[in-house]
Amino acid sequence: MSKEEDNKAIVARWFTEFWGETCNLSVVADLAAPDMLLKYSLHEPRRGHDDIRAFMIGFRTAFPDLNFWGTADLIAEGDYVVGQWEGGGTHTGPAFADFLVGSLPAATGRKMRFTGTTILRIENGKIAEEIGLDDGVTALTQLGLIKAA
């Protein structure tokens, strides 16, 4: 396989096992560089295995049905892989204060479903960066954290 095909396979596994319906946190050690950067507009940037695992544990505890999936073929060029996705979940867990614009009290029952595009940089077979642009306005409006105009 080419470097691009190898990188797409890494990202496909990451999307399925980290962001998919059931989260396998051991994938962080398997696929993420020790100082990986995870950055999306809804949350503070996360760096490193422990920080990334803690983020996902908190996110999935608050949103137990959290699930994201690809909506288009992955595109790869050199060290970079780009993916489009959709997903969300229902806030049925404890209070959640990880959003940059506010927090949710426990078990609001509010649902979020939104889309995004993510660029991942692969370095020596590990994900060094995952930087995404998500439709955070939609998610935050659905959760009641911001009001529609």
Side-chain angles (χ1 to χ4, degrees), residues 18 26 38 46 58 60 65-66 105-106 109-112 146 149:
F18 186 75
S26 68
L38 177 68
R46 305 299 181 141
R60 286 187 183 267
D65 63 345
L66 191 71
R110 295 179 185 147
K111 296 177 185 294
M112 63 176 180
I146 61 174

Side-chain angles (χ1 to χ4, degrees), residues 59-67 87-93 104 107-113 143:
F59 205 9
R60 286 187 183 267
T61 300
F63 294 84
D65 63 345
L66 191 71
N67 183 20
T90 309
H91 180 237
T92 58
L104 296 169
T108 64
R110 295 179 185 147
K111 296 177 185 294
M112 63 176 180
R113 184 165 177 160
L143 294 171

Side-chain angles (χ1 to χ4, degrees), residues 5-123:
E5 291 301 316
D6 289 344
N7 289 346
K8 284 174 24 178
I10 291 166
V11 170
R13 181 174 169 215
W14 178 257
F15 280 179
T16 300
E17 294 187 34
F18 186 75
W19 290 108
E21 188 173 3
T22 54
C23 181
N24 169 14
L25 287 176
S26 68
V27 78
V28 175
D30 291 348
L31 298 182
D35 63 343
M36 178 186 164
L37 172 65
L38 177 68
K39 185 176 177 183
Y40 284 90
S41 66
L42 290 171
H43 311 278
E44 289 287 338
R46 305 299 181 141
R47 185 171 293 277
H49 289 183
D50 292 341
D51 197 22
I52 291 169
R53 275 193 290 270
F55 160 74
M56 187 53 79
I57 289 168
F59 205 9
R60 286 187 183 267
T61 300
F63 294 84
D65 63 345
L66 191 71
N67 183 20
F68 294 94
W69 56 90
T71 58
D73 290 340
L74 295 172
I75 300 168
E77 180 71 31
D79 294 336
Y80 293 91
V81 178
V82 178
Q84 293 178 307
W85 50 265
E86 180 178 345
T90 309
H91 180 237
T92 58
F96 188 68
D98 195 69
F99 294 119
L100 290 174
V101 301
S103 59
L104 296 169
T108 64
R110 295 179 185 147
K111 296 177 185 294
M112 63 176 180
R113 184 165 177 160
F114 59 107
T115 62
T117 301
T118 301
I119 300 170
L120 299 98
R121 183 171 59 82
I122 312 300
E123 186 175 278

